[in-house]
Amino acid sequence: VSLSWQKREISNFDYLMYLNTLAGRSYNDCMQYPVFPWVLADYHSQTLNLTNPHTFRDLSKPMGAQTAERKHKFIQRYNEVEKNLSVQCHYCTHYSSAIIVASYLVRMEPFTQTFCSLQGGSFDVADRMFHSVKNAWDSASRDNMSDVRELIPEFFYLPEFLTNANHFELGCMQDGTVLGDVQLPPWADGDPHQFIHLHRQALESDFVSAHLHRWIDLIFGYKQHGSAAVEAINTYHPYFYGDKMDLNNIKDPLIKSTILGFISNFGQIPKQV
């Protein structure tokens, strides 16, 4: 399959789905849902230029290192080992978890119910809900130190998740904006189908095809852990490495259940492929 992909006989989308499946991730489990990369960095232009490298996200770096300032802060965190962390890592949150998946898909059942049950029975504060593609990118790539989320496959084929067709009352933001459909970048002309069409084009573009292997190294490959991960600013809290933790050797039931709860709520690193 890798050879077919290198020869571009299979699409980037299909290859990413293949890797996710190989790494034990599936649509049947929100805790180990397929993970896809942010591929664009342009959510403000009127038209999308897929020949300009600046249109794209840096696929060689995790979401915590997309800007120099952000990268520096996470390196600082790693070096300082904050008192309350007691473990050395760049990130204490994960790029894929049940709550991230449910928050993206919150406008569609059964994910609406999943999201509410994970939130303790109701929707989150409106300002924290997924309401704008640009805001989600700004948060995960630049603004929010506890947000390093990547995307899910639906961003590349399912326009329905971007509309509030069920008319859920998702609340009202502090600036008075009532939450409804997801706000799209200007180049999508307010049309979810156009967004998906162009976003899929971006995923299959020459630029992404030439650089996607670097992101694959971070998520599924050798930059997942060890010294290569440290160098790539790509280390996560030890609990996220579920398969690396030998839970059978942990005798204390409280510690064991804490770790299992942590993994189920906050996500886990895919199996290395």
Side-chain angles (χ1 to χ4, degrees), residues 190-219:
D191 179 354
H193 289 85
Q194 174 78 334
F195 173 82
I196 295 291
H197 173 68
L198 289 171
H199 204 215
R200 184 66 173 263
Q201 270 193 333
L203 179 65
E204 304 301 342
S205 66
D206 288 344
F207 181 91
V208 172
S209 298
H211 296 89
L212 188 57
H213 65 282
R214 295 178 161 201
W215 182 83
I216 290 168
D217 286 342
L218 293 168
I219 307 296

Side-chain angles (χ1 to χ4, degrees), residues 29-32 94 96-98 237-245 247 256-269:
D29 184 355
C30 282
M31 295 182 281
Q32 293 200 72
H94 199 257
S96 172
S97 66
H237 193 288
Y239 289 177
F240 293 137
Y241 299 86
D243 59 340
K244 296 273 177 291
M245 298 204 68
L247 291 171
K256 200 170 187 169
S257 70
T258 303
I259 293 172
L260 286 168
F262 193 95
I263 292 167
S264 63
N265 283 319
F266 300 107
Q268 61 193 104
I269 305 283

